[in-house]
Amino acid sequence: MFLKGQRPRPSPSGPRTKPMNPTNLLFALLASGFFLTQGGKGNAQDVPSPQAVLGHEIGTKFSRYREIRLWFEIAASRSKGRMKVQSLGRTAQGQELFLSLISSESQLARLNRIGEELQALVSGNNRPKNQTPAVVWLSFGVHGNEPSPSEAAMDLCHRLLTSAEGKKLLEKLVIVIDPCLNPDGRERYVSALVSRLGKDPDPDPLSFEHREPWPGGRTNHFLQDLNRDWAFQTQLETKARIRAWLKLPPQVHVDFHEMWAEREYFFFPAELPVHRSVPRSVLRWHKVFGEANAQAFDAKGWRFYSGEDFDLFYPGYGDSWPSLMGAVGMTYEVGGHGNAALAYRRPDGRIWTLADRVQRHSEAAWSTLLTAAAHKDALLRDFYQLHRDAELEGRGLKDRLLVLSSPKDPGRVRALGSLLLAQGLKLSYASAEGRGRDSRGRTYPVLKGSLILDFAQARGRLARALLERESSVSHLYFYDVSAWSLPLAYGVRERRMSEVDVPLRTGLPPLPSAAPGGVEGLFSLVSAKRGNSPLLAARASAAGLEVRVATKAFRIAGQDFGPGSLVIPTPSKAQRSLLAGLLKAFPDLRPLSTNRSRSERGPDLGSPSFAPCVPVRAALAFGEGTDPNLAGALWFLFEQRLGLPLHRIPLASLSPQNLSHFNLVILPDGGLPSGWTSQRSTLERWVREGGVVLAIGSSARAIHRRILGGKSQVPSTGTSSKTSPKKNERQALRWTTPDQLARESRERRNPGAIVEVRLDPRRLLAAGYGKTIPVLVRGRPQGFPEEGKGRIVAFYGKTKRLSGYIPEASLRKLEGRGYLLQIPLGKGAFVLFDQNPQFRLFWHGLTRLLLNASFLLPRRRIPPFPTPSNGR
Ligand SMILES: [Zn+2]
């Protein structure tokens, strides 16, 4: 770790984090003696109060992110070696992410060494020593429209650096303050809010300042919820943070939030269910910290609650992931959120201000630090021990090895392996083919390149939480989804074994080297089985090459090609070298080269069964009412992962008349663009010419029902339809407690589970898949009633639940209904998904369905737009 104020030392991993450059503004302020005059009493060398830098008292205004950063920079420069600021890189909007590290001068000077000591506690290479401080990591403002935590971070830090009590804390602890985990979201919230404020704050909940405009500031630039991303690390903010975490693994982590404006303060213990992999000692510490917070709040006369609303099950939160990593991970919540603004009138008439929210967070953080310092040695002992226990538990498993492979698409298993390595898990791979056996004596082949994870490792509990099929639970309440099993989400094969007989190497298998050749003939053929083939179709057609896609199976040179396979004619040398250049990015594709059009089976290469793939110009239409996470995920997928342009268009602007700019329109869950139902004929003409509409969830159902005239309603899931009037009467006569009612309503909810759907492998849209795929179903899955019309590409079969909780009634109702439809019209089609195939950007297993629909189906050619002239 390279920290501000230290000389750079070469490190084997390279300086991933760079020191922050003090801003010119900071220099200007320091040079002018600003703090002497503005700070009032004290001298220029003291740590200035936040007010002295911000120009306002904390809690009276929203501080802008650059002001928060400036205060931390100045405080570090005046801290006399007790605080350092460490840059973590920049957000998508170019704002610098940073941590501040606070401890005694001597401990801060040997911080790298302390980090190594703590890593040795994880690996078991060392036992805790008396002089090792505990690390308490405090995360503020992961949700941008929950503004008080970042304000409290400054208040807390100032108190630590300027009070006698703070000085004692610094002797025992290293305190990591992440003042703002989501600067882009915070700026979106604060700038919208500030523009709505009048001369004085208006506490009336009906006023403008209590209404946050869509999509709100909760998420980051790509509209992703960073408090669902800890275990899945799809966003750069999460990746940067976890890299720093692994170098200085904390024993306590608190994630500071805001919730419903009318609630009192919440701290741990958590609500049930708690994931079974969370170590018992961590659960005991939750109570200890909760009790200390309770005393601190009672002393102030402040109300609070624990053990309700916030569970500890889904592993992607800022409390569950840290807990699975062995820290005492907790969430603290204060009433506030995007509608609380600067002052909010609660129903009982109390005015609840930003300053009230800041005070409570600051006090809860302080109490947490006091508790951690008081129990420092016990925390470190437990931290060491829980990792040993995890190793032992793993050794006790019958089949402690998990073997993962994805022979058709090696990219998927590699992506999963990188994710596991990035959270400090140990992995190896088979460097040659071999066999393995399970505890029942059955033997299985182990393919070359398979990943092998041994659950008997220090972080084995995290591994089990992320990778095991089921996370069993007895308590039916979920704040989030109930299933996420990564082998299912990534669409890779998994097998538990007790031993393997293969040569093992640590880390990830090397990438296959780019196979040259394959382009010397008149035609290059790429099998649909290869994961990246639709992406090659997109890139090659955009580069001006002719690309055709097989709609039927064929055989050539003894090799079978399924629907979705590509034929790229390259009669000229220039075309062949262009294709060879594109193929360098896809070493797994390995095309077959031929000079003959004659097939041994199925259509010849000149047949109309090979449809043209045209350059795709895609529009993602979204706006108020759309699911922002899904819209953002699709945006991120195209722009960041695929490196392809995507036009983001407001829903209201994409009328049927404007469709001519595009040949692919993607509608995330949420609604239809304006005029689509009233000007159906214009929309249909566009589709007939080869346009493709890809719609998801409620948008797909709206198209199905209102444009295509289908019936997509399912009878309601309520028990009433199955209960006779007499039984209803009897039930009404019985006493029913509110708890019973709550339980029954929970039993009917579908928090999100993984089920199997059946695919028709003869369809172009299903190219690259086998006969079944695991999908996540959430909310009210309905399916499409389209049996026997040839439109269903995937359907919920005799539905098999693979993981998580789903009510039996929901499962039964889905049976036989469509999950994915392709409704052809002229040369184009409507492609309708019942459920989100890109859930939180970690559901890699379904990405290929989106790629097939996006790049293999559009047929409408768009003339190139004239380049804009410079004149007026
Ligand atoms: Zn939150």
Side-chain angles (χ1 to χ4, degrees), residues 142-143 146 218 257-258 333:
V142 69
H143 290 142
E146 300 171 8
R218 179 180 178 89
H257 288 256
E258 295 192 345
E333 299 265 358

Side-chain angles (χ1 to χ4, degrees), residues 468-545:
E468 282 188 336
R469 177 63 70 90
E470 278 291 10
S471 303
S472 70
V473 66
S474 57
H475 192 89
L476 280 186
Y477 163 75
F478 301 94
Y479 196 78
D480 207 278
V481 293
S482 69
W484 51 82
S485 168
L486 287 179
L488 295 178
Y490 276 65
V492 307
R493 284 194 209 159
E494 54 177 329
R495 176 79 69 190
R496 292 288 287 263
M497 297 186 196
S498 56
E499 55 188 278
V500 289
D501 185 16
V502 285
L504 290 178
R505 301 249 172 93
T506 51
L508 291 183
L511 275 173
S513 52
V519 296
E520 65 278 5
L522 286 180
F523 301 101
S524 292
L525 310 183
V526 177
S527 166
K529 287 180 186 166
R530 304 290 181 180
N532 278 321
S533 56
L535 199 49
L536 176 70
R539 297 251 176 96
S541 57
L545 288 171

Side-chain angles (χ1 to χ4, degrees), residues 146-187:
E146 300 171 8
S148 74
S150 297
E151 311 280 354
M154 290 184 279
D155 187 55
L156 174 75
C157 190
H158 183 247
R159 192 171 167 188
L160 272 171
L161 293 173
T162 55
S163 71
E165 223 179 358
K167 200 174 169 202
K168 284 188 211 154
L169 289 172
L170 303 194
E171 296 300 322
K172 295 199 166 189
L173 304 174
V174 172
I175 300 154
V176 182
I177 292 186
D178 189 336
C180 187
L181 281 72
N182 177 12
D184 293 349
R186 181 182 176 89
E187 282 301 289

Side-chain angles (χ1 to χ4, degrees), residues 691-858:
V692 169
V693 178
L694 193 169
I696 298 167
S698 61
S699 307
R701 283 190 280 278
I703 286 180
H704 191 248
R705 203 166 50 242
R706 290 164 58 195
I707 295 177
L708 302 168
K711 291 182 190 136
S712 60
Q713 285 293 14
V714 248
S716 87
T717 9
T719 46
S720 53
S721 60
K722 294 224 157 74
T723 329
S724 68
K726 265 210 164 146
K727 199 172 170 197
N728 272 340
E729 245 170 65
R730 280 203 306 276
Q731 274 177 351
L733 288 171
R734 205 184 67 193
W735 291 109
T736 311
T737 65
D739 279 356
Q740 265 172 309
L741 281 178
R743 179 164 181 95
E744 281 167 21
S745 116
R746 285 171 177 187
E747 281 170 1
R748 285 195 297 272
R749 276 189 57 223
N750 175 24
I754 306 175
V755 306
E756 188 175 84
V757 302
R758 303 193 70 79
L759 272 174
D760 182 349
R762 296 164 300 182
R763 305 293 289 265
L764 180 59
L765 209 46
Y769 289 97
K771 287 181 180 165
T772 61
I773 38 168
V775 304
L776 183 79
V777 293
R778 288 179 86 197
R780 290 190 59 204
Q782 304 191 3
F784 301 101
E786 286 282 325
E787 305 96 291
K789 292 186 190 164
R791 295 168 155 190
I792 292 186
V793 180
F795 69 99
Y796 300 97
K798 251 291 181 224
T799 315
K800 214 165 125 191
R801 187 195 64 86
L802 296 175
S803 175
Y805 173 73
I806 180 168
E808 253 325 293
S810 296
L811 260 187
R812 276 201 311 274
K813 270 199 320 241
L814 284 175
E815 267 174 29
R817 294 174 78 94
Y819 170 83
L820 169 61
L821 301 187
Q822 181 185 348
I823 300 170
L825 186 64
K827 292 187 204 164
F830 292 92
V831 175
L832 308 180
F833 282 87
D834 183 47
Q835 292 277 308
N836 176 359
Q838 199 56 208
F839 183 68
R840 293 183 187 158
L841 281 161
F842 70 83
W843 217 270
H844 293 273
L846 300 184
T847 302
R848 178 74 192 268
L849 288 176
L850 289 173
L851 301 191
N852 288 345
S854 300
F855 307 127
L856 304 183
L857 292 188

Side-chain angles (χ1 to χ4, degrees), residues 320-402:
S320 49
W321 184 86
S323 294
L324 293 164
M325 288 287 279
V328 180
M330 299 182 283
T331 287
Y332 294 175
E333 299 265 358
V334 73
H337 217 277
N339 62 346
L342 284 169
Y344 182 90
R345 194 179 64 235
R346 289 176 159 183
D348 61 6
R350 279 184 298 160
I351 305 295
W352 186 242
T353 64
L354 178 62
D356 290 325
R357 290 140 67 190
V358 173
Q359 270 182 3
R360 277 153 184 80
H361 268 332
S362 188
E363 197 58 36
W366 193 257
S367 150
T368 303
L369 293 175
L370 290 174
T371 311
H375 298 286
K376 176 207 86 123
D377 293 326
L379 281 165
L380 287 168
R381 268 198 310 276
D382 281 355
F383 183 73
Y384 168 83
Q385 191 56 45
L386 65 88
H387 289 105
R388 304 292 76 71
D389 293 347
E391 286 169 346
L392 267 179
E393 265 172 35
R395 265 182 236 136
L397 293 172
K398 271 189 189 155
D399 293 302
R400 66 187 239 191
L401 304 178
L402 181 67

Side-chain angles (χ1 to χ4, degrees), residues 54-114:
L54 304 172
H56 62 261
E57 202 178 323
I58 283 195
T60 57
K61 274 185 167 186
F62 294 107
S63 308
R64 304 307 290 246
Y65 183 68
R66 62 175 184 280
E67 296 172 330
I68 297 173
R69 212 187 108 195
L70 179 62
W71 182 80
F72 274 94
E73 286 270 15
I74 293 172
S77 72
R78 305 282 187 81
S79 70
K80 302 195 176 77
R82 292 169 299 152
M83 172 162 145
K84 287 166 177 175
V85 170
Q86 180 192 345
S87 170
L88 297 180
R90 288 185 183 274
T91 66
Q93 293 176 15
Q95 306 197 79
E96 193 154 15
L97 290 162
F98 70 97
L99 298 176
S100 74
L101 301 131
I102 308 162
S103 192
S104 68
E105 193 185 352
S106 65
Q107 285 178 157
L108 215 49
R110 61 179 182 97
L111 196 55
N112 290 348
R113 182 80 205 115
I114 291 169

